[in-house]
Amino acid sequence: MRASDSTMTGTDTSTPRVGIVMGSDSDWPVMKAAAAALEEFGVAHEADVVSAHRMPEEMLAYGKDAAGRGLSVIIAGAGGAAHLPGMLAAVTPLPVIGVPVPLKTLDGLDSLLSIVQMPSGVPVATVAIGGARNAGLLAVRILAVSDPELRDRMTAFQADLKTAAQDKGAAVRGDVGGRRLGF
């Protein structure tokens, strides 16, 4: 599929603000968590396969054209040699978030090391192995810098996380007979 044939997803049907790309459709089970996070916040996005090794011209075109098409952030998932995030970062002025996709061998450690070891001048924000949800949430935070409504939704999301953690703490304390300090 060419980048221009990308399918738009999300709750907002306007121009996609975030591009989610991966080297193969086999990466989609991991990467769809980024799409789900963006959908929770109503952020328009697109998803596509743009392989750095199998379709380098299309990959370069995707990165070069992304800002002109209205994207503000790119989330790039890659396994193995994991060149996709770095190559996109080399040809776009947009922030790129790399998602190391775990494979059967090395459990994604090779992908993680490849993505985080970008040379000086070619930054790629990198999340945990398989951390596509956090990549989507980081994209929301990046967009929220200039979008007060989105920032308010992120603040509410964080408050919900706090409440959920406090509820879990209360359940644990209730199960062990109250909070104990020390040994």
Side-chain angles (χ1 to χ4, degrees):
M1 192 180 325
R2 290 184 14 225
S4 61
D5 297 330
S6 296
T7 302
M8 223 296 272
T9 58
T11 56
D12 179 358
T13 58
S14 64
T15 302
R17 298 176 71 189
V18 178
I20 303 170
V21 291
M22 61 219 78
S24 171
D25 65 343
S26 63
D27 299 337
W28 183 240
V30 170
M31 297 303 295
K32 67 183 174 184
L38 294 167
E39 289 168 6
E40 286 177 41
F41 286 87
V43 174
H45 56 282
E46 62 185 22
D48 205 349
V49 172
V50 186
S51 173
H53 298 112
R54 296 179 200 99
M55 45 194 295
E57 293 88 6
E58 290 90 340
M59 180 269 307
L60 291 171
Y62 185 92
K64 289 177 181 179
D65 298 342
R69 292 189 307 105
L71 294 181
S72 297
V73 181
I74 297 173
I75 299 172
H83 290 125
L84 182 60
M87 291 303 298
L88 288 170
V91 297
T92 185
L94 301 178
V96 175
I97 304 168
V99 179
V101 176
L103 301 177
K104 291 179 183 177
T105 57
L106 302 177
D107 295 326
L109 185 58
D110 52 342
S111 308
L112 172 67
L113 294 174
S114 179
I115 296 171
V116 300
Q117 293 296 331
M118 289 296 104
S120 180
V122 187
V124 174
T126 309
V127 296
I129 296 168
R133 178 167 173 73
N134 269 353
L137 294 172
L138 180 56
V140 170
R141 288 177 178 218
I142 291 168
L143 296 171
V145 167
S146 61
D147 184 334
E149 182 180 324
L150 199 53
R151 188 169 43 249
D152 289 345
R153 284 186 272 170
M154 177 53 73
T155 301
F157 172 80
Q158 290 174 299
D160 289 345
L161 287 178
K162 177 182 177 182
T163 300
Q166 289 170 331
D167 291 347
K168 290 176 183 184
V172 169
R173 287 189 303 277
D175 194 39
V176 296
R179 181 180 286 183
R180 292 188 221 162
L181 301 176
F183 296 95

